[in-house]
Amino acid sequence: MLGLMHAARTNGGEEVVTVTVAEGVHRYTYGECAARCRKLASALERWGMQQGDRIATLAWNGYRHLELWYGVAGAGAVVHTINPRLFKEQIVYIANHAEDRLIFADLSFVALLEDVWPELTSVEAVVFLCDEAHMPKTKLPKVMCYETLLAGGSDDYVWPMFDERTAAGLCYTSGTTGHPKGVLYTHRSSVLHAYAAALPDAFDACARDIMLPVVPMFHANAWGMPHVAPLVGAKLVMPGPYLDGKSLQKLIVDEGVTLTAGVPTVWLGLLAHLQATGTNLGGLRLAVIGGAAAPVSMIETFERDYGVRVAHAWGMTEMNPLGTVNGPTRATAQLTGEARWAMEAKQGRAIFGIEMKITDDDGRELARDGKVSGHLLVRGPWVVERYYKAAQPAVDADGWFDTGDIATLDTQGYMQITDRAKDIIKSGGEWISSIDLENAAVAHPKVAEAAVIALPHPKWTERPLLVVVPASGQNPSKDEILSFLETQVAKWWLPDDIAFVDEIPHTATGKIQKVALRERFKDYKLPTV
Amino acid sequence: MLGLMHAARTNGGEEVVTVTVAEGVHRYTYGECAARCRKLASALERWGMQQGDRIATLAWNGYRHLELWYGVAGAGAVVHTINPRLFKEQIVYIANHAEDRLIFADLSFVALLEDVWPELTSVEAVVFLCDEAHMPKTKLPKVMCYETLLAGGSDDYVWPMFDERTAAGLCYTSGTTGHPKGVLYTHRSSVLHAYAAALPDAFDACARDIMLPVVPMFHANAWGMPHVAPLVGAKLVMPGPYLDGKSLQKLIVDEGVTLTAGVPTVWLGLLAHLQATGTNLGGLRLAVIGGAAAPVSMIETFERDYGVRVAHAWGMTEMNPLGTVNGPTRATAQLTGEARWAMEAKQGRAIFGIEMKITDDDGRELARDGKVSGHLLVRGPWVVERYYKAAQPAVDADGWFDTGDIATLDTQGYMQITDRAKDIIKSGGEWISSIDLENAAVAHPKVAEAAVIALPHPKWTERPLLVVVPASGQNPSKDEILSFLETQVAKWWLPDDIAFVDEIPHTATGKIQKVALRERFKDYKLPTV
């Protein structure tokens, strides 16, 4: 609650603007928001919510979702943000595993809820985030209207006091293997994370900013933006479900957005719209990009054509989620041309509170020279200690969490992801980055998508197989791709073979399913030279 | 340790520059600093320092003082910064009350130490912050050389782990009455305070900054700057004892300082030097001013003549020390002219983590309208809970600490100090601000200094007496000052009488000793109208 109460007290007249699913653009102040959070907490208490209960959301970024974050957590219960883009079986699994008592849902998710409802074991009702006039027709057996529920709360609710290590939020990772795993966020970890995220070298967020979290609140807490904005008293703009280029451009200009954050896919859509229409980004000054590596061309386009600085960021659901943000030091601020873009392509420097190190397979710490890559381990007050309901800790005896990423660290503290540990190709004692090979391959004009997997090799232990989806109407040969790659990577990195496929399988969140690819190619024989 | 280790890991090549007392300008990197801190901690452990021991400093801002902060606190002991400007009896009292085991001292303080030594009951030795070549001749019985002590430490020292609520620092307030009171700072409170101080709306400190703490480390932790600089990885410039305008101007330009902080007196000296010499402040962008209210004319001069933004700040030794920093919101950023200076004259908005409220004499919360003034109460993770060794808590049952200040709060969250609670004049149920009256009086060209105290009054309870030190060679009449004041303040605020004196008594830290004034004028009879 600390952040929202701070905003209400010190900048209570500042706005929260939401593009709602069905009710147009909604505006109110932090003062009104805080009052409604109290009312919501009171209403939920009257309904029977206890401290520690899990209350789920299936919702876009919007003011009612914000009220749930602060109202539920402020009352000592846990907001469980469910990612509606997960597969149905995953949603069922995590709602049951979390033992959610209520699901608060946007109108977009009626069909999804009807689909999963019969398999939910703990949910007592669905509360739709709308007023009575917009309540959907549904065959769901137990539904409530958010505004009606809220109206039953008291204005005089007093926030309870509890330990700062009380759970406030819950989010499940959607790994590529096994069941999703839950990560509990405490009030303590969220406040510390928000402090670090707001710093000048990270989001650089201040009371004069107008912040637009494009990254959804169900995607790793919208990278903390709904905590950071009230902390600094910034105006907050919530895009609802409208994440297409046209909607975002209009919202950014209309509301005077200065600071935003999202995944590369969203920005591709936005840049395409800008280029097609000749429109601009108004007073936007900083776009934080994470979730996946942003192509250098995207960073260049934002900065050169639209005057918007791009800050590459990296984090994980297990880290609340931020670990690094890319910003210049005194030394790197001097870089120009290729050296500058190479620096900006890195995932950035640890925000204060996070420690990072890289190790070899035996856990020995490796040099911070920007060249050697190793397993990336992190430690800090907002790093997961134990997955929800897990028997074993997620960290080693010294508190280090293995991110599963392979990375380099340089002398200025910049980290760059070079691969996922399980995807790297271990060839003759050296490592080949599947990501670097894939990036090199997709730069070929006849390649639409590429994936690299390791296949066993009698002499080298493993060697890379390149799997390629040809560009539409193209029929590239192995030789022309290999010749192209020879100009891009070290010779010993060249894939031993190339397999052409119509499609590469993806997870619900758009990542390549290498597990499925490995299964498909498990009997594939690499040619022997 | 967290901040310094973060700097050493992520920006280890960044510099710490010190103007030393006797050894010229010293430069090294955060990496070297961290290595020497380990060595110091090891040496102190070998000497016999235990966790929780108090280790005192009598030192200017410099790299060895910085090593003591991190080396002693990192080892689990407590750095007690003694203000050398205190009266001898106060220094004796606090060193004995704290049971300091060692005093680390700059060469400037040999005579002071010789003077107090016979009365110190717990100090086992004095360690001079220099190398063997610079060791002073002294009659002190037990002295050590810092560099020799350090050389006896191990490079392999491993920092111990302990609870974050372990004490790290100790500073005594120099109140105007009674003995000084000690405030213990924990690692937790210092880290949280540094996060908040570094935010864009406060110091706005980033990795590209070059920070100069002019405010001494013995004056309320140099407002956290030696914690903030390593936290963000900024270059740190330490002025040693050289706080005159000429030295500061040269240091600011030579080292490229971007961010500094100090009390108004220091800036008066700097501005006088700039005006006399036609020099400038190079790339300085922000000067934080606190400790006492900065005159609007000073804020205007900095901004208009030298392009340096001034941020008024307010805090207390009891608050580690920051409570507020003045920075613009979206609304106040639009202000111009008088309205802008009026905003900048306020002490600023609460940094995140600090709650503020104003109350009447009965503890009822008052309106945040920018007009009503009341007792200023604060609460937060870096607000004192109990003075060192005190039997009673320093806060009420809800954690609120009464600052002793009288202030207003406005709708945008800006706080303005209007008086000290014990100095306000309670006239007919209304309050008259002694500070406002004093400021009005010193604006008269024939007035050098002014102090206002309350005298008892049969009808109005209290009425103001204005005590004036005439400007050199001037002999103002009561009437001409009263006529002038009539144009400045409400008629019922006009002092009932004016007393002319040669001198107004001050405390060791330069504050007016109103207690002494009240004693002197306790039998003074106000004229009856």
Side-chain angles (χ1 to χ4, degrees):
Chain A
M1 287 313 299
L2 209 54
L4 185 66
M5 298 312 295
H6 185 77
R9 269 193 314 269
T10 62
N11 212 9
E14 192 49 276
E15 274 188 320
V16 178
V17 180
T18 300
V19 187
T20 68
V21 174
E23 296 157 278
V25 175
H26 175 273
R27 292 170 190 278
Y28 68 175
T29 65
Y30 278 120
E32 293 170 286
C33 177
R36 276 172 58 96
C37 289
R38 274 196 298 278
K39 217 158 161 154
L40 173 64
S42 163
L44 285 169
E45 197 175 67
R46 287 175 183 180
W47 172 82
M49 184 180 74
Q50 305 283 317
Q51 291 200 4
D53 279 354
R54 274 76 61 210
I55 302 295
T57 64
L58 265 174
W60 305 108
N61 294 0
Y63 72 103
R64 291 178 179 123
H65 203 174
L66 190 71
E67 290 164 8
L68 282 158
W69 272 30
Y70 285 95
V72 171
V78 181
V79 184
H80 172 203
T81 49
I82 300 179
N83 183 344
R85 294 167 182 162
L86 294 179
F87 298 117
K88 176 191 162 188
E89 310 78 59
Q90 292 176 313
I91 293 176
V92 168
Y93 172 82
I94 67 178
N96 291 343
H97 185 264
E99 299 172 81
D100 295 326
R101 291 191 64 196
L102 290 173
I103 298 180
F104 285 78
D106 264 326
L107 297 175
S108 321
F109 307 115
V110 177
L112 171 62
L113 281 160
E114 288 174 345
D115 198 20
V116 300
W117 180 266
E119 297 174 52
L120 298 181
T121 54
S122 62
V123 178
E124 296 163 45
V126 170
V127 186
F128 282 105
L129 297 171
C130 61
D131 58 19
E132 287 288 353
H134 291 85
M135 279 296 282
K137 287 215 169 92
T138 171
K139 57 185 183 194
L140 287 167
K142 302 224 176 150
V143 296
M144 289 191 272
C145 165
Y146 182 83
E147 290 299 330
T148 306
L149 175 73
L150 194 87
S154 159
D155 293 321
D156 302 324
Y157 181 82
V158 177
W159 297 112
M161 298 297 289
F162 41 75
D163 189 90
E164 67 191 45
R165 292 179 194 266
T166 302
L170 176 62
C171 187
Y172 281 72
T173 63
S174 53
T176 48
T177 54
H179 282 307
K181 286 180 280 189
V183 181
L184 270 184
Y185 308 113
T186 65
H187 289 260
R188 172 189 170 90
S189 78
S190 297
V191 167
L192 291 174
H193 176 270
Y195 262 129
L199 289 173
D201 287 317
F203 291 171
D204 190 21
C206 76
R208 296 174 303 291
D209 271 312
I210 301 176
M211 293 173 63
L212 170 68
V214 175
V215 52
M217 291 162 79
F218 56 73
H219 178 164
N221 293 331
W223 307 346
M225 286 191 112
H227 288 139
V228 169
L231 186 154
V232 302
K235 173 175 166 181
L236 186 58
V237 180
M238 297 293 223
Y242 307 104
L243 308 184
D244 60 287
K246 185 178 175 186
S247 302
L248 288 178
Q249 187 272 338
K250 184 173 185 321
L251 195 60
I252 287 167
V253 171
D254 286 356
E255 298 298 334
V257 170
T258 59
L259 173 56
T260 184
V263 297
T265 316
V266 163
W267 304 129
L268 282 176
L270 177 62
L271 290 176
H273 174 77
L274 296 176
Q275 282 153 0
T277 56
T279 47
N280 64 42
L281 293 173
L284 186 66
R285 65 170 176 83
L286 177 62
V288 179
I289 303 189
V296 168
S297 61
M298 177 184 291
I299 300 176
E300 283 189 52
T301 304
F302 262 113
E303 301 200 5
R304 286 208 288 233
D305 298 351
Y306 301 100
V308 175
R309 188 169 85 79
V310 166
H312 224 173
W314 168 85
M316 304 181 76
T317 301
E318 286 87 343
M319 299 174 73
N320 204 348
L322 285 175
T324 63
V325 178
N326 194 320
T329 62
R330 282 210 295 145
T332 61
Q334 310 300 323
L335 298 174
T336 56
E338 288 309 310
R340 164 129 185 262
W341 303 124
M343 181 275 287
E344 296 210 359
K346 296 191 174 194
Q347 272 69 24
R349 305 170 68 236
I351 56 176
F352 178 69
I354 290 295
E355 291 177 82
M356 300 193 298
K357 67 175 180 182
I358 51 172
T359 68
D360 65 16
D361 282 343
D362 299 320
R364 279 184 296 259
E365 189 164 350
L366 298 171
R368 295 165 190 259
D369 62 4
K371 294 171 193 151
V372 179
S373 62
H375 299 277
L376 178 65
L377 275 70
V378 295
R379 183 164 72 171
W382 54 86
V383 174
V384 66
E385 289 168 11
R386 183 186 299 266
Y387 288 104
Y388 187 49
K389 295 184 179 177
Q392 300 299 323
V395 294
D396 70 17
D398 295 322
W400 289 99
F401 175 75
D402 187 340
T403 64
D405 281 322
I406 302 296
T408 59
L409 288 171
D410 70 20
T411 54
Q412 294 267 311
Y414 289 86
M415 184 273 287
Q416 183 160 32
I417 303 282
T418 56
D419 214 338
R420 289 291 295 168
K422 59 182 184 293
D423 297 337
I424 207 135
I425 295 100
K426 296 183 177 178
S427 171
E430 301 286 337
W431 289 357
I432 298 171
S433 162
S434 66
I435 292 177
D436 284 356
L437 262 187
E438 287 159 7
N439 286 343
V442 293
H444 192 288
K446 293 187 180 173
V447 174
E449 190 171 15
V452 171
I453 56 172
L455 288 186
H457 190 282
K459 179 173 177 191
W460 302 108
T461 313
E462 292 180 351
R463 288 296 301 164
L465 169 71
L466 174 63
V467 183
V468 162
V469 179
S472 178
Q474 299 293 335
N475 190 16
S477 73
K478 289 183 186 182
D479 280 350
E480 68 185 303
I481 290 176
L482 285 173
S483 305
F484 176 77
L485 287 178
E486 273 182 17
T487 66
Q488 309 281 313
V489 301
K491 196 168 163 62
W492 66 275
W493 277 37
L494 287 178
D496 282 29
D497 204 0
I498 300 177
F500 294 98
V501 297
D502 293 337
E503 198 178 3
I504 286 175
H506 292 95
T507 66
T509 51
K511 293 172 185 163
I512 293 176
Q513 269 191 321
K514 293 210 175 170
V515 175
L517 271 188
R518 285 190 202 102
E519 178 61 24
R520 172 165 170 191
F521 287 99
K522 71 174 192 281
D523 298 324
Y524 194 89
K525 296 283 173 249
L526 291 174
T528 46
V529 188
Chain B
M1 283 316 298
L2 210 53
L4 184 67
M5 298 312 295
H6 185 77
R9 270 192 314 270
T10 62
N11 213 8
E14 192 50 275
E15 274 188 320
V16 178
V17 179
T18 301
V19 187
T20 68
V21 173
E23 296 158 279
V25 175
H26 175 272
R27 293 170 189 279
Y28 68 175
T29 66
Y30 277 121
E32 294 170 286
C33 176
R36 277 172 58 96
C37 289
R38 272 196 299 279
K39 217 158 160 153
L40 173 64
S42 162
L44 285 170
E45 198 174 67
R46 287 174 182 182
W47 172 82
M49 184 181 74
Q50 306 283 317
Q51 292 200 4
D53 278 355
R54 274 77 60 209
I55 303 295
T57 63
L58 265 174
W60 306 107
N61 293 0
Y63 72 103
R64 292 182 180 119
H65 204 174
L66 191 70
E67 290 164 8
L68 282 159
W69 271 31
Y70 284 95
V72 171
V78 181
V79 184
H80 172 203
T81 49
I82 301 179
N83 183 344
R85 294 168 182 160
L86 295 178
F87 297 117
K88 176 191 161 186
E89 311 77 61
Q90 293 176 312
I91 292 177
V92 168
Y93 173 82
I94 66 178
N96 291 343
H97 185 265
E99 299 171 79
D100 295 327
R101 291 192 63 196
L102 290 173
I103 297 180
F104 286 77
D106 265 325
L107 297 176
S108 321
F109 306 115
V110 177
L112 172 60
L113 281 161
E114 288 174 344
D115 198 20
V116 299
W117 180 265
E119 296 174 51
L120 298 181
T121 54
S122 62
V123 178
E124 297 163 44
V126 170
V127 186
F128 282 105
L129 297 172
C130 61
D131 57 19
E132 287 287 354
H134 291 85
M135 279 296 282
K137 287 215 168 93
T138 170
K139 58 187 182 194
L140 286 167
K142 300 222 177 153
V143 296
M144 288 191 273
C145 164
Y146 182 83
E147 289 301 329
T148 307
L149 175 74
L150 194 88
S154 160
D155 293 322
D156 302 325
Y157 182 81
V158 177
W159 297 112
M161 299 296 290
F162 41 76
D163 189 89
E164 68 193 43
R165 292 180 194 265
T166 302
L170 175 62
C171 187
Y172 281 71
T173 62
S174 53
T176 48
T177 53
H179 281 306
K181 287 181 280 188
V183 181
L184 269 184
Y185 307 113
T186 65
H187 289 260
R188 172 190 171 89
S189 79
S190 296
V191 168
L192 292 173
H193 176 269
Y195 263 129
L199 289 173
D201 287 316
F203 291 172
D204 191 21
C206 77
R208 295 175 304 293
D209 271 312
I210 300 176
M211 293 173 64
L212 170 67
V214 175
V215 53
M217 292 163 77
F218 57 73
H219 178 164
N221 293 331
W223 307 346
M225 286 191 113
H227 289 140
V228 169
L231 185 154
V232 303
K235 173 176 165 182
L236 186 58
V237 180
M238 298 293 222
Y242 306 103
L243 308 183
D244 60 286
K246 185 178 175 187
S247 303
L248 288 178
Q249 188 274 338
K250 184 172 185 320
L251 194 60
I252 287 167
V253 171
D254 286 356
E255 298 297 334
V257 170
T258 59
L259 174 55
T260 186
V263 296
T265 315
V266 162
W267 305 129
L268 282 176
L270 178 62
L271 290 177
H273 174 77
L274 296 176
Q275 283 154 359
T277 57
T279 47
N280 63 43
L281 293 172
L284 185 67
R285 64 170 178 81
L286 177 62
V288 178
I289 303 189
V296 168
S297 62
M298 178 185 289
I299 300 176
E300 283 190 52
T301 303
F302 262 113
E303 302 200 6
R304 286 208 290 233
D305 298 351
Y306 301 101
V308 175
R309 188 169 85 79
V310 166
H312 222 175
W314 169 85
M316 303 180 77
T317 301
E318 287 86 344
M319 298 174 75
N320 204 346
L322 285 175
T324 64
V325 179
N326 195 319
T329 63
R330 282 210 295 144
T332 61
Q334 311 301 321
L335 297 175
T336 56
E338 287 310 309
R340 164 126 186 263
W341 303 125
M343 182 274 287
E344 297 210 359
K346 296 190 174 195
Q347 271 70 24
R349 304 169 70 236
I351 56 176
F352 178 70
I354 291 295
E355 291 177 82
M356 300 192 299
K357 67 175 179 181
I358 51 172
T359 67
D360 64 16
D361 283 342
D362 299 321
R364 280 184 297 258
E365 190 165 350
L366 297 171
R368 295 165 191 260
D369 61 5
K371 293 172 194 150
V372 178
S373 63
H375 298 276
L376 178 65
L377 276 70
V378 295
R379 184 164 71 172
W382 56 85
V383 173
V384 66
E385 290 168 11
R386 184 186 298 265
Y387 288 105
Y388 187 48
K389 296 185 178 177
Q392 299 300 322
V395 295
D396 70 17
D398 295 322
W400 290 99
F401 174 75
D402 186 339
T403 64
D405 280 322
I406 302 296
T408 60
L409 288 170
D410 70 20
T411 54
Q412 295 266 313
Y414 291 86
M415 184 273 286
Q416 184 161 31
I417 303 281
T418 55
D419 213 338
R420 289 290 296 168
K422 60 182 183 294
D423 297 336
I424 206 134
I425 295 100
K426 296 183 177 179
S427 171
E430 301 287 337
W431 289 357
I432 297 171
S433 163
S434 65
I435 292 177
D436 285 355
L437 262 186
E438 287 159 6
N439 287 342
V442 294
H444 192 289
K446 292 188 181 172
V447 173
E449 190 172 14
V452 171
I453 56 172
L455 289 186
H457 190 282
K459 179 173 177 189
W460 301 108
T461 313
E462 292 179 352
R463 288 297 300 165
L465 168 72
L466 173 64
V467 182
V468 163
V469 179
S472 179
Q474 298 293 335
N475 190 17
S477 71
K478 290 183 186 180
D479 280 350
E480 69 184 302
I481 291 177
L482 286 172
S483 306
F484 176 75
L485 287 178
E486 272 183 19
T487 65
Q488 309 281 313
V489 301
K491 196 167 162 60
W492 65 275
W493 278 37
L494 287 178
D496 282 28
D497 203 0
I498 300 178
F500 294 98
V501 297
D502 292 336
E503 198 179 1
I504 286 175
H506 292 94
T507 67
T509 51
K511 292 172 185 164
I512 293 175
Q513 268 190 320
K514 293 210 174 169
V515 175
L517 271 189
R518 284 189 203 103
E519 178 61 25
R520 172 166 171 189
F521 288 98
K522 70 175 192 283
D523 298 323
Y524 196 89
K525 296 283 172 247
L526 290 174
T528 46
V529 187

